[in-house]
Amino acid sequence: MSTPWIAAVGRHLAVFTAGTLIGALYGRPLIGAFIVVTGLLLWHLYNLWLLERWLQTGDLAEMPAGNGTWARVFARAKFIATQNKLNRKKYRRLVKELRTSMKAFPDGGIILSPNNEIIATNKAARLLLGLKRKRDRGQRIDNFIRHPSFVAFLDAGRKKETVEIPAPHGEKWLSCRLMPYGPDQRLLLVTDVTRARKLETMRRDFVANASHELRSPLTVIAGYLDALDEAEDLPDTWSRPVADMREQTRRMSQLVVDLLQLSKLESSAPGPLDAAIDIVSMLAVARHEALAAPAHPRRIELDIHSDAGLLGEESEIRSVVANLVSNAVRYTPEDGSIVIGWSVDDAGGHLSVADTGIGVAPEDVPRLTERFFRADGGRARQQGGTGLGLAIVKYALRRHDAELDINSEPGRGSRFTCHFAPQRIDRRPGHPDGSERPDPREESR
Ligand code: ADP
């Protein structure tokens, strides 16, 4: 017990003793004690009434001063009330600041309940999605954004991922991102990406048009150079320059072909799900072609564990295989080896090209699929590559629900694995045309 309370008990006892003693003087100690106790009770009741009356108004100016123990109680209550007032003021200011910043925020923000119902929206979100604050509160967000990609994205609820969809009203394109908010709510961030998409389309169109326009002049130049090369009266001093010009023209033509292929892959819809690709035969052909290259590693083998096929666009998957295999051939010395693998499990199909070549430094691995990125610039250019091969692989795989996984160690080799989603696997045995499929182990010999 604290000192003031010991003093209060002491005071009460003293008053009680005094009352009893005065009563004893008149031969009535009990009556004296009774009067004193009743007086004390009435005094406490009066103070309680004062407190209750003040609690009803909460007006700090009207707080009674009280005396004795009650003075302490009133002072404490006044302190707590003053603190609360200050906190309320602070809280109101914070809410106001938050509202102002939410209003000024250029991106839309929508707070969603665990059932995807709208709890709160800012002005930008209402403008972008055509929402009304009061009318739409409590409605499910997928009643307003019905795009299938958005609904799938909402159900998956993956953090850090974004989905781009056309706005429910108007011409705009929106990028949506979900993040955890509070204990069980989510914040949906909506950004207007119309301008960025327009610029991206312009860039893509420009590259496609420029590449297309370059095709005809290059064909003409290549034709004349071929004719010059075959001309019998060509002076000897011109043989080397003409050979160099032919090589450079071939590289430029390859560049144009790759650029056109890339822009087609970037802008078209996902590959078909009903066209079966005989991947085992395709890998066998890729192996034969690699063995036919002027310079190649001595051992090029197949490691086939499934005769399942793939569902998609054959030319694009062929391009994926050709790019990965030709890279392995170019970046692996003659005494090295290449293994081309195919296997299927519950997670889907796995197509891999592993080599024991020069490998790639760890810091370069994430950049390999960028356009024109070369891990070892000069050396890779000498190998005759365009720097677009792995970008083509990335986009072709994206259109087939597949991802590229790269493992590499400088000096030891690389493994490029394409992981295809289960819905892309054609598990029917045999060739798509019904004929028997050759034993892949035969092929690898
Ligand atoms: P390139 O036409 O230059 O080969 P790619 O896009 O196919 O372009 O590859 C990009 C870069 O990745 C290459 O320049 C090379 O540095 C590196 N690379 C690709 N495949 C391999 C590999 N199998 N081994 C080592 N480096 C590779």
Side-chain angles (χ1 to χ4, degrees):
M1 214 191 290
S2 60
T3 327
W5 279 100
I6 294 172
V9 171
R11 271 199 308 276
H12 279 70
L13 282 176
V15 171
F16 179 76
T17 317
T20 315
L21 286 177
I22 293 169
L25 284 180
Y26 293 95
R28 295 273 194 278
L30 278 179
I31 291 187
F34 176 75
I35 292 171
V36 166
V37 169
T38 312
L40 278 173
L41 202 65
L42 286 174
W43 179 69
H44 280 305
L45 276 176
Y46 170 70
N47 279 295
L48 261 179
W49 173 75
L50 285 178
L51 181 64
E52 201 267 345
R53 200 184 59 169
W54 176 78
L55 282 174
Q56 280 186 5
T57 63
D59 187 351
L60 281 173
E62 290 194 6
M63 169 66 84
N67 45 42
T69 324
W70 283 100
R72 283 175 52 80
V73 172
F74 288 135
R76 191 77 204 148
K78 193 169 181 176
F79 174 74
I80 294 172
T82 316
Q83 282 303 104
N84 276 349
K85 201 173 164 186
L86 288 176
N87 283 345
R88 269 204 308 276
K89 241 186 185 169
K90 210 158 110 186
Y91 176 72
R92 270 201 296 270
R93 206 185 58 236
L94 268 176
V95 170
K96 208 170 153 191
E97 275 173 17
L98 202 71
R99 282 225 175 104
T100 319
S101 60
M102 281 280 275
K103 255 190 206 163
F105 205 51
D107 293 337
I110 303 168
I111 301 170
L112 297 175
S113 74
N115 298 326
N116 296 326
E117 290 142 353
I118 300 173
I119 295 176
T121 50
N122 72 349
K123 197 173 168 195
R126 293 194 291 276
L127 282 175
L128 288 171
L129 299 170
L131 300 173
K132 288 258 189 300
R133 198 206 310 243
K134 286 197 182 131
R135 185 196 66 188
D136 299 330
R137 191 180 297 152
Q139 301 271 359
R140 283 181 61 100
I141 187 71
D142 42 0
N143 285 344
F144 297 96
I145 315 178
R146 291 167 185 268
H147 197 278
S149 313
F150 178 78
V151 176
F153 163 79
L154 199 63
D155 291 344
R158 276 191 284 269
K159 286 178 257 167
K160 291 189 186 157
E161 271 185 25
T162 56
V163 66
E164 283 193 12
I165 47 159
H169 314 284
E171 308 267 275
K172 285 188 189 318
W173 273 84
L174 308 175
S175 163
C176 303
R177 190 174 172 181
L178 271 176
M179 51 188 69
Y181 189 83
D184 52 3
Q185 297 165 353
R186 290 190 295 175
L187 175 67
L188 174 66
L189 275 180
V190 185
T191 314
D192 182 353
V193 288
T194 319
R195 197 177 132 74
R197 271 186 80 97
K198 260 192 196 145
L199 285 174
E200 178 62 18
T201 313
M202 274 165 66
R203 179 196 65 77
R204 222 181 282 155
D205 288 351
F206 172 78
V207 173
N209 291 338
S211 315
H212 197 75
E213 292 301 321
L214 280 171
R215 245 165 110 161
S216 313
L218 273 173
T219 315
V220 175
I221 295 171
Y224 279 122
L225 286 172
D226 285 348
L228 266 178
D229 194 45
E230 280 161 22
E232 281 168 10
D233 51 352
L234 186 74
D236 281 351
T237 46
W238 274 97
S239 319
R240 182 72 200 274
V242 168
D244 283 352
M245 281 191 278
R246 285 185 72 204
E247 171 56 18
Q248 294 306 325
T249 315
R250 190 201 59 76
R251 281 190 64 184
M252 272 172 81
S253 304
Q254 188 56 48
L255 197 60
V256 166
V257 168
D258 282 0
L259 279 171
L260 280 171
Q261 190 182 4
L262 196 55
S263 67
K264 191 178 145 226
L265 287 173
E266 277 181 311
S267 52
S268 49
L273 262 169
D274 55 354
I277 305 166
D278 181 0
I279 192 79
V280 178
S281 304
M282 188 184 278
L283 296 182
V285 171
R287 173 175 174 265
H288 280 304
E289 283 173 1
L291 286 169
H296 61 78
R298 222 165 285 137
R299 282 178 53 219
I300 303 181
E301 290 172 4
L302 290 179
D303 181 26
I304 308 290
H305 294 275
S306 165
D307 67 351
L310 264 179
L311 298 172
E313 184 67 54
E314 183 160 354
S315 61
E316 290 173 19
I317 299 299
R318 194 180 304 115
S319 166
V320 168
V321 174
N323 273 305
L324 293 180
V325 174
S326 79
N327 277 352
V329 168
R330 276 184 291 138
Y331 300 112
T332 308
E334 265 180 40
D335 58 353
S337 67
I338 297 175
V339 179
I340 306 169
W342 171 240
S343 65
V344 172
D345 57 24
D346 290 345
H350 313 282
L351 190 164
S352 62
V353 178
D355 63 55
T356 58
I358 59 170
V360 183
E363 66 273 19
D364 288 336
V365 170
R367 300 196 57 196
L368 291 187
T369 55
E370 285 175 21
R371 294 175 186 85
F372 299 113
F373 179 80
R374 287 164 169 114
D376 188 358
R379 190 160 162 186
R381 212 165 272 122
Q382 277 165 22
Q383 299 284 344
T386 58
L388 292 173
L390 290 179
I392 291 175
V393 169
K394 179 172 94 174
Y395 281 100
L397 290 181
R398 192 178 282 179
R399 282 168 34 78
H400 287 83
D401 308 305
E403 274 174 17
L404 181 66
D405 184 31
I406 307 173
N407 276 300
S408 191
E409 219 181 301
R412 298 195 70 120
S414 318
R415 172 185 287 270
F416 291 77
T417 314
C418 314
H419 299 287
F420 291 88
Q423 73 265 25
R424 286 285 173 181
I425 307 305
D426 177 23
R427 291 175 193 267
R428 290 165 296 174
H431 274 303
D433 63 6
S435 60
E436 274 299 298
R437 181 171 279 168
D439 183 349
R441 279 157 304 194
E442 284 295 317
E443 284 291 336
S444 61
R445 273 176 217 139

